[in-house]
Amino acid sequence: MQYTVAVRALCEFTARAGDLDSRFTPAPSGLEGMAGHAAVTGRRGPDYETEVPLSGEHRNLLVRGRADGYDPVANQLEEIKTYRGRLDGVRENHRAAHWAQARVYGHLLCQARGLAQLRVALVYYNVATEEETVLAETHDAASLAAFFQEQCGRFLAWAANELAHRRARDAALEALAFPYGAFRSGQRELAVAAYRAARDGGCLMAQAPTGIGKTLGTIFPLLKASPGAGLDKIFFLAAKGPGRALALEALDTVNAQPAAPRLRVLDLQAREKVCVHPDKDCHGESCPLAQGFYDRLPGAREAALEHVRLDAAALRRTADEHQVCPYYLSQEMARWSDVVVGDYNYYYDATAMLHGLTQAHQWKVAVLVDEAHNLVDRARRMYTGELDQAALSAARYAAPKPLKKALDGLNRSWNALNRKQADAYQAYDEAPAGVLAAVQKAVAAITDHMGESPLPQDDPVLAFYFEALHFMRLAEQFGPHALFDVTLNPAGAGAKTPPSTLCVRNVIPAAYLAGRYAGAHATVLFSGTFSPQQLYRDTLGLPASAAWIDVAAPFQAEQLAVRVVGNVSTRFRDRERSLAPIADLIARQYAERPGNYLGFLSSFDYLRRVSDLMRERHPEVPIWTQTPGMDEAGRAAFLARFSETGQGVGFAVLGGAFSEGVDLPGKRLIGAFIATLGLPQVNAVNENIKRAMDRRYGEENGYDYTYLYPGMQKVVQAAGRVIRTEQDVGTVHLIDDRYRRAKVRGLLPGWWRVE
């Protein structure tokens, strides 16, 4: 069996050495990089060849790639790199990899064309000044061959282990049986559809009820399909921690089987959760774990693979043993893992790491999107950019003298816009050209300055720069998928003009997400509340060919008593009158059948008022409450109260941490009270979103897409906490007079019998 590796991946593996240095230096955009390559090659003669495909073998290793350019007249192979600022700002570990790439391509060219000698050149092109620096060296074919063999030799031992792992993994997956013997009702149907998607490629939308085992029911078939489909990796993406935890548990179950595939499972963690030295910058002069990082990385990488489950604890132990940064070690291990579990943003964000690696290494991947109804709001946030004038003020105060003029100019343009605005909030048909031009000038000035003098990570100028870059890129792509709005903030003492926040607000993320589906061999999006499906086809940008499956619930209507409390209004204006009826209803149900219940309210204020009244009127009922900003330990303590022998009512906010992704089977939860329709708040922002939806999908859909469907999804998700197995029995109270409406009833699961 032959192992194939790209030239770039080979050289990054073998040639990187020295310090980790993640200090930000302005890099050319993808378009600027392509333009830079074109500018360099355009200066060459008529015989100049570009994008030269090359490949070569060393034992059972196939190395392939495309050389940037070859000049047959000068007999010179060129590796072209674009940059900004000063040339000495290109990091040493990057330069080492650049030279390695050029020499490997040099060998492959000599071998392909029978050349005895070759000039190998690194061409550095400054996209700002259009200056070209050529660093060249002359090699005979034998020395280039020796270099190639040395790089391959360093990689071969690793490649041999990777091949052995891949063969053993695929053989075990082909023989793998479902861990629990028999599928649950509905779970097999889901698994078959997911398997076909992974086998044939494309997208699958799967609506499947909570409690049938969707996580294992999607992971298992994708693993089974991997050998035949030639999948390199599976990415399991979740919106919240509980979804990721369920995926890790399911993968532990798979790895615990006889003749287990020993899947390498990586749990990606956010930087702030794993950084050992948050007070230090990420470079060798500041952080001891960055100093010599690449020299110690090979040992740490090898040791990390001794762990089947690469979670935060395992990576931290390995990083400690080898004195490397655990965060960047986890990023390295994404290259060598079979399954990566992480947040949506690792694949769907504008600068998503997993998507970038997939493209760079041409991996064949399958993507699982857990509770995919959440992807709409999450993607909206990913592709929304805000610019706060307070951040500009901090940047102006901290800025060195060369940047003052551009930042002051932006502030003047910004204030001029603020003075024209009469209302505290206003949406515009397009981004004001004057402010955008001023933002562009400020970004250009900071970019040029950092090319000469990099800024520390905690510098307010750098923080503003990142926000401005993101904002500007989204503003340049502004269209009917987005809003531009301005919110005036309270003016400080002595301020002539109130400051404001500018926002390019994404409404429909479809265009941004479509490319992500195209980058994966297969994408399976699943949720218990994935209807109406047209809403998600529209807003998530799914291809017309995306398949759809609606898995029937395995539960019987007799398992769940659904009672509409239609004599109570939970509208904001009626909140005060609703408190006593809600508290009394909860107390009556608890007295009728003591046990564990969840009570869902629309806000923390509403929750506090109901729980306070419960304590006052019904002190015999034990209660506990979700609090704003509750940390992981607090959430764990909240859920721990729901024991098999426990009794009481836990109050939570609808749409929060406890309304989905929480599994409380049996007597751990026997009922829920949902005192809201979950509708988003009617405010200026949401009304403008509704108008954008009206324009795109018609006025008959605008209200439903903006308010009704998102609200009812939260309701069904929360109610789904009650019945988790075919043995569970429980009660759900839907508290609001609007639950009497036929349109609202039509959005409830078909197997419910609503009383």
Side-chain angles (χ1 to χ4, degrees):
M1 186 175 179
Q2 195 172 55
Y3 191 96
T4 302
V5 64
V7 171
R8 177 178 172 180
L10 171 71
C11 295
E12 286 180 349
F13 186 91
T14 60
R16 288 184 301 180
D19 293 353
L20 169 69
D21 193 339
S22 67
R23 282 176 290 189
F24 178 80
T25 53
S29 67
L31 289 176
E32 288 175 327
M34 289 189 287
H37 276 65
V40 171
T41 58
R43 295 171 178 177
R44 304 299 188 254
D47 297 324
Y48 191 80
E49 301 174 34
T50 61
E51 295 292 313
V52 184
L54 295 167
S55 64
E57 298 180 6
H58 180 71
R59 291 159 53 186
N60 65 332
L61 184 66
L62 173 64
V63 182
R64 64 188 183 189
R66 290 180 179 272
D68 289 331
Y70 173 59
D71 184 345
V73 176
N75 192 31
Q76 178 167 295
L77 178 134
E78 296 184 336
E79 180 70 13
I80 303 168
K81 302 295 181 185
T82 57
Y83 71 100
R84 281 184 174 277
R86 293 165 48 184
L87 182 57
D88 59 14
V90 179
R91 309 283 186 236
E92 283 302 317
N93 59 66
H94 291 167
R95 289 193 186 212
H98 296 165
W99 271 119
Q101 285 178 251
R103 291 166 188 155
V104 167
Y105 278 127
H107 161 71
L108 297 176
L109 185 71
C110 286
Q111 184 182 61
R113 306 204 178 179
L115 303 176
Q117 193 178 64
L118 182 69
R119 276 172 58 87
V120 176
L122 273 183
V123 180
Y124 286 105
Y125 179 82
N126 189 316
V127 297
T129 65
E130 301 183 358
E131 179 184 1
E132 183 182 318
T133 303
V134 181
L135 308 175
E137 50 188 33
T138 301
H139 291 276
D140 57 41
S143 67
L144 289 172
F147 181 83
F148 175 75
Q149 290 163 11
E150 179 188 1
Q151 304 310 302
C152 291
R154 291 183 190 175
F155 189 78
L156 266 172
W158 183 267
N161 288 336
E162 287 299 296
L163 277 174
H165 169 74
R166 178 80 174 247
R167 281 195 295 264
R169 181 198 75 179
D170 286 355
L173 288 176
E174 286 178 341
L176 185 67
F178 189 65
Y180 298 115
F183 287 91
R184 295 183 192 175
S185 178
Q187 194 179 38
R188 174 178 288 279
E189 186 182 355
L190 173 63
V192 168
Y195 177 87
R196 288 173 177 161
R199 180 194 64 192
D200 302 334
C203 292
L204 169 68
M205 303 169 66
Q207 177 167 268
T210 56
I212 70 162
K214 292 192 295 292
T215 302
L216 188 57
T218 51
I219 287 176
F220 176 76
L222 263 65
L223 291 172
K224 288 292 291 181
S226 290
L231 294 181
D232 295 304
K233 299 182 188 300
I234 294 171
F235 301 149
F236 186 99
L237 308 175
K240 299 176 182 178
R244 291 169 51 194
L246 288 172
L248 292 170
E249 289 173 13
L251 289 159
D252 285 346
T253 300
V254 170
N255 269 333
Q257 299 305 296
R262 285 190 60 81
L263 296 167
R264 297 168 179 170
V265 178
L266 174 65
D267 179 20
L268 282 174
Q269 298 283 328
R271 182 173 182 165
E272 58 269 17
K273 289 188 176 181
V274 295
C275 181
V276 179
H277 299 292
D279 58 323
K280 301 183 186 300
D281 288 344
C282 292
H283 58 83
E285 297 168 17
S286 176
C287 179
L289 299 182
Q291 191 174 46
F293 174 86
Y294 289 110
D295 301 327
R296 296 189 294 275
L297 178 59
R301 183 169 51 210
E302 192 167 344
L305 291 186
E306 294 298 315
H307 302 277
V308 173
R309 176 169 167 167
L310 288 164
D311 57 14
L315 285 167
R316 180 63 179 268
R317 286 194 302 271
T318 304
D320 285 347
E321 290 166 5
H322 293 267
Q323 284 299 286
V324 296
C325 170
Y327 174 70
Y328 284 100
L329 176 60
S330 73
Q331 293 207 329
E332 171 69 17
M333 298 317 297
R335 303 165 188 262
W336 312 109
S337 299
D338 301 308
V339 184
V340 181
V341 178
D343 187 88
Y344 290 165
N345 67 285
Y346 284 108
Y347 189 78
Y348 288 109
D349 205 315
T351 56
M353 179 189 74
L354 291 179
H355 180 259
L357 287 172
T358 298
Q359 296 299 301
H361 296 284
Q362 293 299 291
W363 290 334
K364 194 174 188 180
V365 304
V367 181
L368 286 170
V369 185
D370 177 47
E371 301 295 4
H373 62 277
N374 287 303
L375 186 56
V376 178
D377 281 342
R378 287 293 305 278
R380 281 173 173 167
R381 292 200 291 272
M382 291 175 200
Y383 294 98
T384 289
E386 284 191 342
L387 211 52
D388 193 332
Q389 205 164 2
L392 173 60
S393 296
R396 289 171 64 212
Y397 181 80
K401 189 173 181 180
L403 296 180
K404 295 281 188 186
K405 182 178 179 181
L407 294 176
D408 287 346
L410 170 56
N411 196 52
R412 285 193 297 273
S413 295
W414 202 329
N415 282 335
L417 175 64
N418 294 344
R419 285 193 292 271
K420 293 177 183 177
Q421 184 164 311
D423 298 325
Y425 171 88
Q426 185 171 331
Y428 296 79
D429 293 333
E430 58 185 8
V435 173
L436 276 190
V439 172
Q440 289 172 332
K441 286 181 181 178
V443 166
I446 299 170
T447 298
D448 292 343
H449 177 81
M450 286 195 296
E452 301 293 326
S453 305
L455 296 168
Q457 288 180 192
D458 59 351
D459 194 297
V461 176
L462 186 61
F464 177 76
Y465 176 75
F466 288 146
E467 291 178 5
L469 266 182
H470 183 57
F471 175 86
M472 191 174 71
R473 287 170 184 157
L474 293 172
E476 289 171 348
Q477 301 170 55
F478 186 78
H481 63 275
L483 303 172
F484 183 87
D485 55 46
V486 180
T487 303
L488 297 179
N489 303 318
K496 295 180 181 179
T497 307
S500 71
T501 299
L502 313 179
C503 185
V504 178
R505 190 181 307 278
N506 183 265
V507 176
I508 305 164
Y512 297 109
L513 300 178
R516 296 301 196 258
Y517 309 133
H521 170 70
T523 303
V524 177
L525 306 98
F526 60 96
S527 171
T529 51
F530 217 23
S531 61
Q533 61 166 300
Q534 195 59 45
L535 164 68
Y536 295 100
R537 288 185 182 274
D538 288 343
T539 55
L540 294 179
L542 288 155
S545 60
W548 165 264
I549 182 174
D550 189 356
V551 179
F555 312 121
Q556 303 300 314
E558 292 75 19
Q559 290 181 251
L560 184 67
V562 182
R563 297 170 182 166
V564 169
V565 182
N567 61 343
V568 176
S569 167
T570 64
R571 298 170 181 83
F572 185 79
R573 65 176 182 270
D574 300 322
R575 291 278 169 84
E576 189 64 37
R577 291 193 298 273
S578 73
L579 299 179
I582 292 171
D584 292 346
L585 169 68
I586 292 172
R588 283 198 305 274
Q589 175 64 38
Y590 182 82
E592 179 184 318
R593 188 186 176 198
N596 291 319
Y597 293 85
L598 269 168
F600 292 103
L601 288 305
S602 56
S603 68
F604 280 106
D605 177 67
Y606 201 9
L607 181 156
R608 178 189 56 78
R609 294 168 73 185
V610 171
S611 59
D612 285 350
L613 192 61
M614 282 290 298
R615 291 186 178 98
E616 177 186 327
R617 292 169 71 105
H618 306 286
E620 73 282 2
V621 180
I623 66 171
W624 56 98
T625 62
Q626 180 185 4
T627 56
M630 185 178 270
D631 59 17
E632 287 187 25
R635 292 195 292 270
F638 182 94
L639 291 175
R641 296 286 297 268
F642 293 89
S643 66
E644 282 287 328
T645 57
Q647 292 185 347
V649 182
F651 286 99
V653 171
L654 188 71
F658 304 112
S659 58
E660 63 180 72
V662 172
D663 199 23
L664 300 170
K667 293 183 179 179
R668 294 183 65 191
L669 184 68
I670 63 169
F673 307 91
I674 303 175
T676 174
L677 246 67
L679 305 182
Q681 184 181 14
V682 177
N683 56 33
V685 172
N686 285 333
E687 284 296 281
N688 276 299
I689 290 175
K690 176 187 171 297
R691 280 190 280 274
M693 290 291 195
D694 288 344
R695 290 192 295 269
R696 185 71 171 267
Y697 303 117
E699 291 186 14
E700 67 278 9
N701 291 319
Y703 175 83
D704 293 346
Y705 276 27
T706 306
Y707 293 106
L708 182 60
Y709 295 157
M712 290 304 296
Q713 285 151 7
K714 295 175 188 175
V715 169
V716 176
Q717 281 286 333
R721 300 313 97 204
V722 178
I723 303 298
R724 308 298 295 173
T725 74
E726 293 174 57
Q727 290 74 46
D728 289 351
V729 177
T731 304
V732 169
H733 288 84
L734 302 176
I735 308 171
D736 193 280
D737 55 11
R738 287 166 290 183
Y739 283 113
R740 291 173 170 172
R741 297 176 181 173
K743 189 169 187 177
V744 172
R745 294 273 190 108
L747 297 172
L748 300 176
W751 68 273
W752 286 9
R753 183 185 298 162
V754 183
E755 300 174 11

